[in-house]
Amino acid sequence: MSVNYSIPRGTYDILPETSYKWQYVLKTFQETAKLFNFKEIVTPIFEKADLFERSVGDTSDIVEKEMYKFNDKKGRKFALRPEGTAPVIRSFVENNLGFSGNLCRLFYSGPMFRYDRPQKGRYRQFYQYGIEAIGSNHPYIDAEVIAFADTFLRNLGLKNYNLEINSVGCSICTQDYDLALKEYFSPHFDELCPDCKKRMGKNPKRLLDCKVKSCQSIAKNAPSMIAYLDEDCRTHFEQVKFYLDKMGIVYKVNDRIVRGLDYYTNTAFEFLNNNLGAQNALLGGGRYNGLVKQIGGKETPGVGFAGGIERLLLSLEQEELFCGKNSIPEIFFITLGKNAQIKGVELIAKLRNMGISIVTEIEKESMKSQMKAANKSNALFAIIIGEEELSNNELVLKDLQVGNQKMIAFKDIGEIKEIIDKAK
Ligand SMILES: [Zn+2]
Ligand SMILES: [Zn+2]
């Protein structure tokens, strides 16, 4: 019986030819975290399902339609994490990470899972990165989180992106706004899509970001949240903009950015790459002053963002940015004959201990096939030992870029490190 295994729909392999691009993005993210003094947190890829049902909300698409849920052998309900914030807050509460009283600055990255229709830049297993700043309601922190995102994108080399910000108010001023939205939309109720009809009762703000064209044209003239902000929320928003201006970060206010869930408050923002088409959001975030309490902690304000690595890679490719380099060996080691090969094994071990990256193809015997392999490897140098070199206790070091070569005695192989460092 022959079995044809193939990768699950909506997932992909990170292949050796492209893995360096991933490393580049993650390394840049980690370096940015260092600049802003955010520390890494790693949580499991599965959690109790009700963590997401209670926090992300059971009316959201994520929980309603897209969560990978399973029962373990004892019948307990778990879910593969569909997003990163709820697990981080769960860990913050469980480990009492706020105990010092200082702002808790965390970053994470890893695979997330959503049973969604696969399309360009959207997968069922996708790789997300994000940060959370937990413990302060100061508008400067909102601006700092936005500055982190801006610095990260800039450090990657991206240029074609812009920032849009909004305020969604607090649980108090949002009530008036929800009423105003219901009033605005109710004469159009019959024209709304089935999802929006459902949203209308529970969460009318989500009608503003419906992707259905007919809903969008109705929503175009809906009232703006900014007009409904109470004094505290209006001041907070003004202050965030003030700090962004001071930091030299360019933004546009877009009162249609909504974060539909109850725990979101005040600042909401998105970084967009408008050349990416429908999937143009690079990363998004905002303030979530209600979330820590919802997950069982003390009332604690927080703000953060998250984004997908897949879209960043699309943007990097689109802007033709050179993102790092796949690693190449410094030396390709060629030996001719059994005795030279045994000496080679000894020397390769010594050279690696000096920190030199080195590769050999032990099964290839002729000079021709080993030279061919050396060229394919893109190595900087080749070392060649034949019977004659072996009897003279020396080796040939050949510069594969320039073509010249030099004899080096076995006892002087320490020189090789200097020669390589100079050539790089
Ligand atoms: Zn308010
Ligand atoms: Zn709709």
Side-chain angles (χ1 to χ4, degrees), residues 377-414:
S377 77
N378 293 318
L380 300 174
F381 291 88
I383 286 178
I384 304 158
I385 306 179
E387 292 300 334
E388 198 189 322
E389 287 81 20
L390 189 61
S391 59
N392 294 334
N393 284 314
E394 57 184 14
L395 55 81
V396 178
L397 181 71
K398 185 178 166 80
D399 187 326
L400 293 175
Q401 293 167 320
V402 184
N404 57 0
Q405 60 184 56
K406 139 175 219 202
M407 308 302 295
I408 293 173
F410 291 160
K411 63 175 172 47
D412 297 329
I413 55 167

Side-chain angles (χ1 to χ4, degrees), residues 24-181:
Y24 170 74
V25 171
L26 285 174
K27 202 175 132 231
T28 307
F29 185 57
Q30 287 159 2
E31 281 166 1
T32 311
K34 213 180 258 178
L35 279 179
F36 286 79
N37 196 30
F38 278 63
K39 300 209 163 51
E40 184 164 31
I41 183 164
V42 180
T43 62
I45 62 167
F46 69 99
E47 297 270 355
K48 289 181 182 159
D50 64 2
L51 171 68
F52 302 107
E53 282 159 358
R54 255 191 289 159
S55 61
V56 183
D58 50 14
T59 61
S60 72
D61 284 352
I62 297 176
V63 166
E64 218 172 52
K65 303 177 192 159
E66 298 170 1
M67 211 152 70
Y68 279 94
K69 277 199 266 192
F70 62 96
N71 291 344
D72 72 359
K73 290 191 176 170
K74 290 194 170 160
R76 291 171 291 212
K77 284 190 174 60
F78 290 100
L80 296 180
R81 61 184 181 192
E83 60 97 44
T85 300
V88 168
I89 301 299
R90 192 264 312 136
S91 180
F92 173 87
V93 172
E94 197 170 351
N95 297 296
N96 193 21
L97 298 182
F99 73 97
S100 75
N102 282 358
L103 183 66
C104 186
R105 293 176 163 94
L106 304 170
F107 77 90
Y108 63 86
S109 64
M112 311 285 160
F113 306 84
R114 287 183 201 172
Y115 191 81
D116 198 357
R117 194 167 58 83
Q119 49 186 298
K120 198 176 182 193
R122 185 181 277 192
Y123 299 91
R124 289 181 174 168
Q125 175 175 330
F126 55 101
Y127 213 93
Q128 208 172 56
Y129 59 89
I131 71 168
E132 315 295 350
I134 313 160
S136 169
N137 192 37
H138 199 289
Y140 168 74
I141 304 302
D142 305 47
E144 194 176 80
V145 163
I146 293 171
F148 183 123
D150 183 58
T151 306
F152 171 49
L153 297 177
R154 203 156 13 89
N155 286 354
L156 282 173
L158 292 171
K159 290 190 180 72
N160 298 332
Y161 65 85
N162 41 61
L163 165 65
E164 295 186 351
I165 62 168
N166 189 23
S167 174
V168 298
C170 64
S171 58
I172 300 161
C173 56
T174 205
Q175 289 171 6
D176 288 341
Y177 183 53
D178 282 357
L179 280 178
L181 285 178

